[in-house]
Amino acid sequence: MNDLQQLFANNRQWAEAIKEEDPAFFTKLARQQAPEYLWIGCADSRVPANEIVGLLPGELFVHRNIANVVLHTDLNCLSVMQFAVDVLKVKHIIVTGHYGCGGVKAAMRNDQLGLSDGWLRSIRDLYYEKRNTLKLIANEEEQVDRMCELNVIRQVGNVSHTSIVQNAWHRGQPLTVHGFIYGIKDGHLKDLDVTVDSPEQIPEQYRLSPP
């Protein structure tokens, strides 16, 4: 059996296991999706969104990219956010990074990776901004892990500054932005306590008037 055939075999086993547990699962799933959460995470293959939080398909709307970056110019990410907030009416946007992130490591170094260098530029800028504080951490691995946390915190701010999120607040729609980080070594999620649920919590220069 080649690698692709193995994927199809795995799929059949997974589907049969789901149906054995809940015979009507796929029938119900096909009707609609009504997730309460949008997960913005890293594309790292070791960080499977649904499995980490123990949710089934249909319960978590997911966008992933290298180093869980949210840019005001990224129409892909912004389109996912807009659909999640305006159409699906999710109640929580969860930005989730992970310790030891390769994208964050790359942004902290001078190595060239190619097209990814431009994508990681905002993290490189953040590292330069925080470099003096990070240098106080003697252990390189701990430096990287702290930078992974700082990146999540910055991306929570970027999500909160969008018109998508702020217009939801203006409408009175319940919506909260969170920052989590995942430990690949132990499988545990950590809340970074940077929750934002109103425009009053963001800097004045980023607050937008109602449309």
Side-chain angles (χ1 to χ4, degrees):
M1 182 179 294
N2 65 35
D3 291 344
L4 294 182
Q5 289 175 323
Q6 183 63 55
L7 294 181
F8 286 106
N10 292 346
N11 168 255
R12 298 298 185 274
Q13 291 174 8
W14 170 79
E16 290 306 315
I18 292 287
K19 285 192 287 187
E20 187 173 328
E21 185 174 330
D22 181 0
F25 176 80
F26 290 108
T27 303
K28 292 183 291 186
L29 189 66
R31 292 194 190 115
Q32 66 174 352
Q33 62 169 338
E36 292 192 4
Y37 313 95
L38 166 60
W39 173 287
I40 300 177
C42 183
D44 193 302
S45 60
R46 300 168 296 175
V47 190
N50 285 72
E51 292 181 32
I52 287 173
V53 289
L55 294 178
L56 291 170
E59 296 180 326
L60 191 70
F61 202 57
V62 178
H63 173 78
R64 295 170 68 178
N65 61 54
I66 297 173
N68 44 273
V69 173
V70 178
L71 300 175
H72 71 278
T73 54
D74 180 11
L75 295 181
N76 186 349
C77 181
L78 293 179
S79 296
V80 171
M81 285 177 53
Q82 188 271 327
F83 189 85
V85 173
D86 294 351
V87 179
L88 297 177
K89 308 294 185 186
V90 298
K91 295 179 180 176
H92 304 273
I93 298 177
I94 304 168
V95 180
T96 306
H98 66 95
Y99 291 122
C101 178
V104 171
K105 283 182 185 177
M108 296 171 71
R109 297 172 178 166
N110 294 325
D111 302 336
Q112 284 197 47
L113 298 177
L115 189 59
S116 300
D117 296 328
W119 177 255
L120 298 172
R121 175 61 186 270
S122 65
I123 303 179
R124 189 182 297 273
D125 292 341
L126 177 61
Y127 174 59
Y128 185 77
E129 178 186 327
K130 303 291 186 181
R131 68 193 185 285
N132 291 330
T133 302
L134 289 165
K135 285 176 182 176
L136 298 176
I137 303 172
N139 183 280
E140 183 180 357
E141 183 178 348
E142 291 176 8
Q143 264 191 33
V144 171
D145 285 349
R146 178 54 183 159
M147 185 63 200
C148 291
E149 293 178 343
L150 292 172
N151 180 47
V152 170
I153 294 168
R154 176 59 56 88
Q155 306 314 324
V156 166
N158 289 346
V159 170
S160 303
H161 300 165
T162 64
S163 60
I164 298 164
V165 169
Q166 294 191 45
N167 285 339
W169 290 333
H170 292 321
R171 292 192 298 267
Q173 183 176 332
L175 182 63
T176 306
V177 185
H178 310 266
F180 293 175
I181 195 154
Y182 174 69
I184 290 176
K185 292 181 179 179
D186 60 14
H188 293 169
L189 269 181
K190 176 182 176 183
D191 189 342
L192 293 176
D193 296 320
V194 288
T195 300
V196 185
D197 61 10
S198 72
E200 290 73 28
Q201 291 177 266
I202 63 178
E204 190 171 353
Q205 66 267 32
Y206 295 114
R207 296 179 200 169
L208 303 173
S209 300

